[in-house]
Amino acid sequence: MPQTSGAISLDHDTPELARSYDEAGLVQFRHGKFLIGPLAIKSGEHVLDIGTGTGRLAEFVAGLVGPNGQVIGIDPLAGRIEIARLRQSDNLQFHTGRAEDLSRFDDRQFDAVYLNSVFHWIADKSGALREIHRVLKPGGRLGLNVQDPSRPHQSRVLLRQAIAEAGLADHRQDSNPVLGLTDGELRPLFVAGGFTDYRSELRALTDVHADANSLLRWSEASAFGNFLEAFSPAEREQVRSAFARLVETKRTPEGLILERYLRFAFARKASAGN
Ligand SMILES: C[S@@+](CC[C@H](N)C(=O)[O-])C[C@H]1O[C@@H](n2cnc3c(N)ncnc32)[C@H](O)[C@@H]1O
């Protein structure tokens, strides 16, 4: 069972990457709504957003729970939490923290927990699910989305091609190490974590980018410095220029249109029991 598919570091983020992420954050925000809809979040509920980034989706969910509810967002990257705190309000708070350690929260504190484009980054997935199960109320809902290795994003396919064209297709073939999980890998993780009513579906999402630079900036910001990390600066430039050429095949009058694929998974904690 993959935990992570390579070495991911939380130490490469920079204030600039955090700012770019917030500026381009609408991309994740849009598909985040496909996560929030099925969770059926109601007024007055308590919700935890794990890996909240700069807090845009959490801010939207705070509107759903209203003044009698509460949303808490956590993220290990201090620079992203600093930006998220600009969105803070009476029913919306942010803290630094990781999915694997939710010890700041009580047992059965939340009605719903979600992770939007986060689960594939987490090193100890079983530990994270155990913690999420603990902090959910009986009957509480969990929703998350992950990349699925059986359906790589179009940009990832082009990136691999660019790496090959630059003559660098060795062990660093895919230097962004996050490969994600299939349905067959997710289901047993959820079951072992004590969840019930697991279901998942793969969705195709369409993104529009102005040009290759903005797509690359977006990829760098959303990988918090773990993108093309395995390459030297000169090699990185070679890959970037091969990628810029290849991505032009996706040019339309509206911009570069690329499909991304995410698996959305939902489950809940049993109503009776711990
Ligand atoms: C692509 S961003 C998604 C941010 C946000 N959920 C959104 O919808 O915009 C991935 C986030 O996962 C966070 N992350 C990485 N490892 C994590 C972990 N172990 N626990 C919680 N969050 C983590 C990163 O810090 C980053 O902010």
Side-chain angles (χ1 to χ4, degrees):
M1 188 71 51
Q3 294 293 302
T4 45
S5 358
I8 291 159
S9 172
L10 294 167
D11 299 328
H12 298 321
D13 200 33
T14 63
E16 197 200 338
L17 286 173
R19 260 196 315 278
S20 309
Y21 185 80
D22 193 51
E23 280 159 20
L26 277 177
V27 176
Q28 312 279 30
F29 177 67
R30 268 192 228 112
H31 72 237
K33 290 198 181 162
F34 294 122
L35 197 55
I36 300 309
L39 282 175
I41 289 166
K42 293 183 277 301
S43 167
E45 288 198 320
H46 288 208
V47 179
L48 178 62
D49 176 335
I50 297 180
T52 192
T54 56
R56 196 183 288 268
L57 189 60
E59 184 178 41
F60 169 75
V61 176
L64 300 179
V65 301
N68 297 323
Q70 189 188 40
V71 177
I72 300 178
I74 63 162
D75 198 284
L77 303 176
R80 311 241 166 170
I81 287 297
E82 200 176 306
I83 295 176
R85 284 196 170 129
L86 301 173
R87 304 191 147 100
Q88 204 150 281
S89 65
D90 285 348
N91 69 348
L92 176 62
Q93 277 87 49
F94 295 99
H95 305 285
T96 50
R98 315 173 55 142
E100 299 90 327
D101 176 9
L102 302 180
S103 53
R104 70 162 58 240
F105 303 116
D106 294 334
D107 294 359
R108 309 174 188 192
Q109 183 172 337
F110 296 102
D111 299 285
V113 174
Y114 65 86
L115 302 88
N116 187 38
S117 285
V118 174
F119 198 61
H120 38 250
W121 293 109
I122 293 175
D124 178 6
K125 294 180 172 55
S126 308
L129 286 173
R130 257 196 317 277
E131 273 292 78
I132 292 167
H133 190 270
R134 182 183 66 74
V135 301
L136 274 173
K137 295 179 185 174
R141 294 97 69 202
L142 166 63
L144 57 83
N145 48 34
V146 284
Q147 293 181 42
D148 184 323
S150 68
R151 201 75 198 276
H153 301 340
Q154 288 184 338
S155 61
R156 178 182 288 262
V157 173
L158 293 176
L159 186 66
R160 278 197 193 132
Q161 211 177 321
I163 292 169
E165 282 192 13
L168 300 167
D170 53 15
H171 62 284
R172 298 161 300 184
Q173 258 245 350
D174 189 339
S175 85
N176 175 345
V178 175
L179 298 174
L181 294 99
T182 62
D183 182 58
E185 290 166 337
L186 271 176
R187 182 184 292 275
L189 273 177
F190 273 64
V191 170
F195 289 92
T196 184
D197 293 347
Y198 168 88
R199 66 185 197 282
S200 94
E201 83 175 298
L202 191 68
R203 268 181 181 270
L205 308 150
T206 304
D207 297 329
V208 185
H209 293 274
D211 52 36
N213 266 342
S214 83
L215 171 54
L216 283 164
R217 237 193 345 270
W218 159 244
S219 303
E220 278 157 4
S222 55
F224 40 96
N226 290 280
F227 184 76
L228 299 179
E229 258 310 288
F231 297 98
S232 70
E235 289 172 337
R236 222 173 285 161
E237 265 327 294
Q238 276 177 271
V239 174
R240 289 174 73 99
S241 69
F243 181 75
R245 202 170 5 84
L246 288 168
V247 90
E248 279 305 317
T249 56
K250 304 289 178 189
R251 168 77 56 200
T252 72
E254 286 76 41
L256 300 173
I257 297 198
L258 287 112
E259 276 198 352
R260 259 180 325 135
Y261 310 96
L262 283 180
R263 180 164 293 286
F264 286 71
F266 299 91
R268 65 182 183 84
K269 178 170 173 174
S271 301
N274 56 352

